[in-house]
Amino acid sequence: MRKLSLLLSLGVVLIIGAMLTGCQKNPDTIKIGLAAVQSGSDAQIGLTMLQGSQIAVDEWNAKGGVLGKQIETISLDDEGNAQKANTVAHTLVDDGVVAVLGHLNSNCTIPASTVYNDGKVLQITPGSTNPKYTERGLPYAFRICGRDDQQGPIAGTYMHDVLKLNKIAILHNKTAYGEGLATEVKKTFEKLGGTVTMFQGIGVDENDFRANLSVIKGSGAEGFFWGGMYGQGGPLCVQMRQAGLNIPFVSGDGCFDQTFIDTVGGNAANVYLSFGKDYHKIPAAQPFLEKYKAKYGHEEGAYSVYGYDAANVLLTAIAQAQTTDADKVAAVMKSRPFDTILGKVEFDEKGDVKQSGFVIWTIKDGKLQVVSDSP
């Protein structure tokens, strides 16, 4: 009987061991999730962001990886949809990732972050700007870009103080990003004494803006702000000009993409976008930009550098913590500055960067460039 009991106990141990081995499909690698919109009208900005992260991972692997292991990336498309992002997050946690670089859209990042937090998976977004992401006290949530309450005041102040506008109309796409940024612009503009003549939201699939343009015309607005992505922003700007509305068109980082420029025209007048500083003028960025073009055959996207920097910060923190444990890696990330292409990056206790660096850009000769009177 004792021998049978011993054999049964041994069998249970072997079964449990096999189950654990099965769960840890490849114990010789460290898995990192890459998550963002990679299909639909906003695909380019999400895909190029993750491509920037992948270059950083490739560089680390070429040097031997991290903690003596190669880094394995799992890239998933959240389609810019909150429900799909939630599914993607569960899939990545189940696949055993230790951290996630993503998402891009705030309406995806916010619900996904709850899943990652519950799974003790560290998350760093290169491009989500809605404050709610880091305002909920999640210990594993970080962002390497600025927030809407940093970006909105820059755009709102520029419209009032530099463009000398007294009345503006605002339209947004009803998402966490679009409405969130639009609200911050509204707050700033009204605080400075300006009047917001229209504040409306539309669905992300709408592309006929005639009714909205009619309201803008009738409101007497001297300028316009779009809170949303370039997939709608480009056609919206074109339809405004076709309708005879040549007032300043201002938007945020969601329109900072070559597709937007191609849609509105390379010499579009009176178009302004808020985004981070011009990394093309930073010497440290040149090797990355050259490597990106050589690998993918095209110019980088708006958030490619941010994706690259986010990956490098994450992997440096893992190396310094000497573990992939989310609590210990998060502690390292909040305890010291990190050298990146965009300069020194420091996180506060919420997981936000201490300096955002937003400036105002315009289109000239088919390219975006910082305006001379940008704050």
Side-chain angles (χ1 to χ4, degrees):
M1 183 66 71
R2 186 177 296 176
K3 182 182 288 187
L4 178 59
S5 177
L6 183 61
L7 288 172
L8 287 172
S9 298
L10 181 59
V12 170
V13 170
L14 290 172
I15 290 170
I16 292 173
M19 288 173 64
L20 290 174
T21 302
C23 292
Q24 193 176 7
K25 295 174 184 177
N26 191 351
D28 297 324
T29 64
I30 291 175
K31 294 181 181 179
I32 303 291
L34 303 180
V37 55
Q38 299 180 59
S39 59
S41 61
D42 300 331
Q44 189 68 7
I45 195 170
L47 179 62
T48 54
M49 180 186 83
L50 298 185
Q51 288 173 339
S53 294
Q54 187 63 56
I55 287 178
V57 171
D58 292 344
E59 289 176 347
W60 277 77
N61 278 337
K63 295 183 293 185
V66 64
L67 305 184
K69 296 182 179 182
Q70 289 288 287
I71 305 147
E72 176 186 350
T73 56
I74 302 174
S75 181
L76 295 179
D77 179 10
D78 64 25
E79 301 174 11
N81 178 278
Q83 187 173 350
K84 184 61 184 290
N86 188 68
T87 301
V88 163
H90 280 289
T91 299
L92 289 173
V93 172
D94 290 344
D95 281 347
V97 300
V98 301
V100 173
L101 296 162
H103 300 225
L104 172 72
N105 308 76
S106 293
N107 65 304
C108 292
T109 299
I110 292 171
S113 63
T114 302
V115 179
Y116 300 135
N117 186 72
D118 291 345
K120 293 198 69 173
V121 170
L122 193 142
Q123 177 188 15
I124 177 167
T125 172
S128 293
T129 55
N130 190 294
K132 291 179 183 177
Y133 169 57
T134 48
E135 285 293 331
R136 294 166 298 149
L138 302 182
Y140 312 128
F142 293 82
R143 77 174 108 220
I144 206 161
C145 57
R147 296 167 35 134
D148 289 334
D149 51 4
Q150 295 168 321
Q151 180 176 195
I154 294 294
T157 300
Y158 188 80
M159 295 178 80
H160 186 274
D161 292 356
V162 181
L163 297 180
K164 304 298 182 183
L165 305 175
N166 294 308
K167 296 189 291 183
I168 63 170
I170 298 176
L171 188 66
H172 60 79
N173 66 356
K174 296 183 181 178
T175 66
Y177 162 69
E179 185 171 0
L181 178 57
T183 299
E184 294 299 335
V185 171
K186 182 177 184 292
K187 284 181 187 176
T188 299
F189 195 78
E190 290 179 336
K191 185 177 180 181
L192 292 170
T195 300
V196 175
T197 63
M198 182 195 88
F199 188 86
Q200 292 183 356
I202 59 172
V204 294
D205 296 322
E206 293 186 40
N207 282 296
D208 183 348
F209 308 105
R210 284 176 294 184
N212 307 108
L213 297 179
S214 178
V215 175
I216 295 170
K217 269 188 174 182
S219 74
E222 303 165 349
F224 171 78
F225 184 85
W226 163 242
M229 302 297 291
Y230 63 86
Q232 286 178 295
L236 171 58
C237 185
V238 170
Q239 289 182 38
M240 281 184 66
R241 300 311 189 226
Q242 291 172 342
L245 274 167
N246 296 311
I247 59 178
F249 179 100
V250 185
S251 190
D253 55 310
C255 282
F256 200 92
D257 189 88
Q258 186 62 42
T259 305
F260 177 81
I261 301 172
D262 294 341
T263 301
V264 303
N267 289 297
N270 250 356
V271 174
Y272 304 93
L273 305 176
S274 54
F275 191 65
K277 57 189 176 183
D278 188 357
Y279 50 74
H280 289 96
K281 296 181 179 179
I282 302 175
Q286 302 316 306
F288 166 77
L289 297 176
E290 292 170 7
K291 189 174 293 186
Y292 184 96
K293 190 169 184 179
K295 181 176 177 66
Y296 296 111
H298 55 78
E299 300 290 339
E300 81 290 345
Y303 278 101
S304 298
V305 167
Y306 290 81
Y308 179 81
D309 281 350
N312 275 316
V313 167
L314 169 67
L315 295 171
T316 299
I318 289 175
Q320 292 179 352
Q322 282 296 294
T323 178
T324 58
D325 179 83
D327 290 302
K328 294 179 180 178
V329 176
V332 168
M333 289 178 67
K334 292 177 181 178
S335 69
R336 65 200 71 179
F338 294 85
D339 291 319
T340 73
I341 284 178
L342 297 170
K344 283 198 180 295
V345 167
E346 290 187 75
F347 298 99
D348 61 21
E349 280 305 307
K350 294 178 181 178
D352 289 316
V353 288
K354 293 183 178 179
Q355 294 183 319
S356 63
F358 284 110
V359 294
I360 300 297
W361 297 66
T362 192
I363 300 174
K364 187 176 181 181
D365 298 326
K367 292 185 178 180
L368 284 158
Q369 55 184 263
V370 178
V371 297
S372 58
D373 52 3
S374 180

